[in-house]
Each structure stands twice: as structure tokens, then as C-alpha cells.
Amino acid sequence: MLQTKLVDTELIAWTIEQRRHFHMHPELSGQEYETAAYVKEKLTEFGIAIKNNYSAPNVVAYFKGTEGKKTVALRADMDALPLHEEGDKPYISTVPGVMHGCGHDGHTATLLAVANWMSTHPHLVKNNIVFIFQSSEEASPSGAKQLVEEGILDEVDVIYGIHYMSNMPLGKIGFATGPAMASCDDFDIIIEGKGGHAGNPHETVDPIYIATHLIQAFQSIVSRNLNPLHSGVISFGGIQGGNSYNVIPDKVNLQGTIRALTYEGAELMHKQTAQLTESICTSFGAKGHFHLIEGTPPLYNHPEACEFAKEIIQKTFGDDVFLPFEPVLGAEDYSYYLKEKVGVFINVGMQSEKSQYPHHHPKFDIDEEAIPSAIELMIQLALNA
């Protein structure tokens, strides 16, 4: 456990208790009403004003600083996953088929601890603080997108968020500067051909054969159209067409995902996948229908916010604690906040024997030794921003 300057053992124990409560009572994306009610109850106990002009089950609270020259937003996500938890921990999920398999219970408890601390040390808080307890990070529609559209960041100067990471050593804190996480958009494609007997292929327009060309052509977008410095990937995850040995079907369905580290890369791949679907299918005498399912944009950590966060980490915990992160092609809807305002998304390491399973695994768990430093980090960022 890293040494903390502002966080005492009583607050740490309280936070772990809250985290275990959330873990035992998980709720899926968009359904976090009991979690939201619990968070509101605690915030009310702290005397922190709840803003009721945002859509439920999101919870937004406001703490007025002593000077109020700057407004800092702090975000935690609240939703769980449709997984049946495995293991024998005393705080195992009480909801069959639902568990906190990504650490959002820890994020919520950590932000609640920050609110608790500020309520007992109001004289130390100069900046205004917006607490964002966000619904629906794991599924669409995105809770972050919804809150941004509702004006959550209108008066905010900078925003910070954390994520406990099971693939990052316990005791390390870090992030990637600039492009950090990918966009995530899905697509459905229907290829309409002309079915017939497999012995008479000349009388058909074979959608399976056309699909093979489409799958190959999509890879050329990444290798020949996308700037090599703008990482991206297109992957097919599903193909359905036909159910007989000797019948060529009249239709094939394809599903896949498009991910990019830059806005420009994402836009290019959206455009090219749609164009290739239409042109290749037309060239074979078929009809191609491309449907893009828009997801989250790329997550861009602003360099100026990263420089400040790195300085805070090193001053608070020591130079050796900061660990630069490589960009990853996973996605996070925190990217909607960073598209609008300066900020950074920070990884808090917790890889250990207790936290040896990856995120979204039925045996995933948070190593609670990481919690004190996460609370300290968020307080220091909010106080000094």
C-alpha cells in the first residue's frame, strides 16, 4: 500500500465497506437505481448538494469551494456486467447472473470517499467540485454521452477519472498521453444475392463468395488507407448464411467492429467500409446494405492535464510510482468527456494474487490495497487543479 497524506485508516476502512456493499448488490447498465439511491443517501449525509436536472439513474452532486475560481469534475461509473460471479469471497454478488467484473464498484466507492473527505475538510477545498456517478458505461446508450448532451460539463474546467487495472502492478499509477484508448463502433452488413442449387452456381449470385471478398477487402482499409501512425483495426465477429450442403443461400449477414485511436482514423474507416460494401456487392450483381452502430469515440488524454497529473502522482507518491501506459484498443465512454473538455483518464494498478483475473472474468476482484492511493490521488487532483 502506498503512503497517503490526507487519507486516514478510518476513511479507508469505510471505503472498503462501501465497495463491498456495491459488489454484493450489482445492477446492469441503465438499471442502477438502487445504487443511485444509496449514493444519494450518503451524499445527503455529507451535506453535499445533489443536482436533480440530470437524467436518472445518473447522480450528479456539487461541492462549492472556498474560492470557486475553477470547477473540477470527478467521475465514477456505477454499472455491473451480465456475468455470474464465481468464487467464495464473503462479499460475493447476491444477484444471479450479474457481477461487478470491471471494478466499477471500486470506482463508485472511491469517489464517494472523496466526497466524504471533502465534507469533513471543506476549508481545504478551494475549487468547486462536480461529482459524477455515471450510469451505463458498459452498454449503449452511453451514460457519458447522455450527460454531456445534458450539459454536465458546461461550467467545468477540467475532468479526472480513474480505472483500477488488473494488468498493471499494484502500487503503480499511470496513463498514456494523447491517444490512449480506441473508438468502438460496430457494423451489420446484409449481402443480398440470388440463391439456387449448388450444382448450378451460374444461375445464382452467391453471397457467401461475395462475403469472402468483402472480408479480405476490409483489411486493405487498415493496411493501405489508414495512416500507419493512426492505429486501427477492423474485425469480423460473426457470419451467418445458409444451412445446407448443396444450396447457395440468397442472403449472408456479417457483423464486426471498427476501432481507431484517432478521430480521423475512425471517420476514414466508417467511410471506406460503407463504400466497399456497396461497390463490391454491386460488382458481383448483389446488393450490399451497411449499417454502422455508432459507439464511443477515441479517448484522448490532453497533454497539459497529463503533465499536471504526472506531477501530482510523483509529488504525492514518489517518482517511481508513475508508469507510462501504451495506448490500447479497448474502449471507454469517458472519451465523451475528454472530447469536450481538458482532462485525463488515469489507471491505478492492482495486479496481485488477489487481483489475478482479467476484467470481465467471473472471478475478477479488486485488490483493496490499491484503494487508499486512488482516494488520495483524486483528492490531490481536485485540490490542486
Side-chain angles (χ1 to χ4, degrees):
M1 183 188 301
L2 297 176
Q3 293 297 313
T4 54
K5 299 177 181 179
L6 301 174
V7 181
D8 58 29
T9 56
E10 184 178 349
L11 181 59
I12 294 169
W14 181 89
T15 308
I16 291 173
E17 180 184 345
Q18 306 310 308
R19 180 256 158 172
R20 293 186 177 190
H21 168 83
F22 292 130
H23 193 89
M24 292 176 67
H25 303 91
E27 295 176 289
L28 294 174
S29 302
Q31 301 175 24
E32 311 96 322
Y33 290 96
E34 290 186 11
T35 302
Y38 187 90
V39 169
K40 287 181 179 180
E41 178 185 325
K42 295 300 178 184
L43 291 170
T44 301
E45 289 177 8
F46 304 153
I48 297 178
I50 296 169
K51 310 286 281 186
N52 293 315
N53 50 327
Y54 297 99
S55 54
N58 297 292
V59 179
V60 179
Y62 183 82
F63 186 97
K64 185 170 179 58
T66 58
E67 296 183 3
K69 295 179 181 178
K70 296 290 183 181
T71 298
V72 180
L74 304 174
R75 177 267 204 170
D77 36 17
M78 300 189 295
D79 51 335
L81 292 163
L83 287 174
H84 185 77
E85 187 166 15
E86 298 176 3
D88 57 359
K89 59 179 74 76
Y91 48 88
I92 198 165
S93 171
T94 60
V95 184
V98 183
M99 72 167 288
H100 272 292
C102 201
H104 297 186
D105 51 337
H107 303 163
T108 303
T110 299
L111 187 56
L112 209 53
V114 175
N116 188 348
W117 185 90
M118 289 185 178
S119 71
T120 56
H121 301 81
H123 59 289
L124 296 179
V125 187
K126 296 180 181 180
N127 295 317
N128 301 323
I129 310 297
V130 176
F131 295 97
I132 303 173
F133 295 88
Q134 181 205 308
S135 165
S136 196
E137 188 278 324
E138 296 284 0
S140 295
S142 158
K145 181 181 181 182
Q146 184 178 43
L147 286 171
V148 168
E149 291 174 349
E150 293 173 357
I152 187 72
L153 298 179
D154 287 354
E155 305 300 324
V156 168
D157 295 294
V158 63
I159 183 167
Y160 301 106
I162 65 162
H163 202 301
Y164 289 107
M165 298 297 292
S166 64
N167 64 346
M168 186 177 187
L170 179 66
K172 296 293 185 180
I173 302 172
F175 45 79
T177 299
M181 299 184 74
S183 61
C184 180
D185 304 293
D186 297 330
F187 60 83
D188 286 313
I189 296 173
I190 299 175
I191 302 173
E192 284 190 71
K194 179 182 177 183
H197 196 286
N200 299 308
H202 60 291
E203 297 176 355
T204 72
V205 176
D206 187 347
I208 292 179
Y209 177 70
I210 297 170
T212 66
H213 284 267
L214 205 58
I215 292 170
Q216 292 292 328
F218 272 24
Q219 302 313 309
S220 72
I221 298 173
V222 175
S223 65
R224 289 297 176 267
N225 300 129
L226 183 67
N227 185 330
L229 300 179
H230 297 183
S231 296
V233 65
I234 302 174
S235 296
F236 286 86
I239 178 169
Q240 300 86 35
N243 56 12
S244 175
Y245 291 105
N246 63 349
V247 176
I248 293 172
D250 60 0
K251 186 182 298 183
V252 165
N253 297 329
L254 301 169
Q255 298 88 38
T257 185
I258 300 170
R259 293 172 182 250
L261 279 179
T262 65
Y263 297 110
E264 298 84 356
E267 184 179 354
L268 179 143
M269 289 195 283
H270 296 166
K271 179 181 178 181
Q272 289 295 103
T273 48
Q275 286 185 347
L276 282 176
T277 298
E278 180 179 2
S279 61
I280 289 176
C281 290
T282 299
S283 70
F284 284 101
K287 293 181 179 179
H289 306 278
F290 181 88
H291 174 57
L292 181 71
I293 305 166
E294 186 177 349
T296 55
L299 190 151
Y300 181 83
N301 279 332
H302 297 261
E304 59 269 46
C306 291
E307 183 178 350
F308 167 73
K310 180 181 178 181
E311 181 181 340
I312 289 294
I313 292 167
Q314 292 177 327
K315 283 185 177 180
T316 306
F317 306 112
D319 292 345
D320 60 337
V321 169
F322 179 75
L323 182 66
F325 229 65
E326 292 292 324
V328 297
L329 293 183
E332 234 287 349
D333 77 349
Y334 187 85
S335 57
Y336 282 108
Y337 301 119
L338 295 180
K339 190 176 181 181
E340 301 297 323
K341 293 287 182 174
V342 171
V344 60
F345 192 54
I346 302 172
N347 300 304
V348 177
M350 61 170 189
Q351 186 180 55
S352 66
E353 184 176 350
K354 182 177 180 182
S355 184
Q356 59 182 296
Y357 294 98
H359 297 264
H360 295 217
H361 189 282
K363 292 185 178 180
F364 172 87
D365 199 7
I366 289 177
D367 188 331
E368 293 165 341
E369 290 288 310
I371 287 177
S373 55
I375 303 171
E376 180 82 25
L377 172 64
M378 294 198 83
I379 293 173
Q380 293 285 0
L381 289 168
L383 294 184
N384 295 287

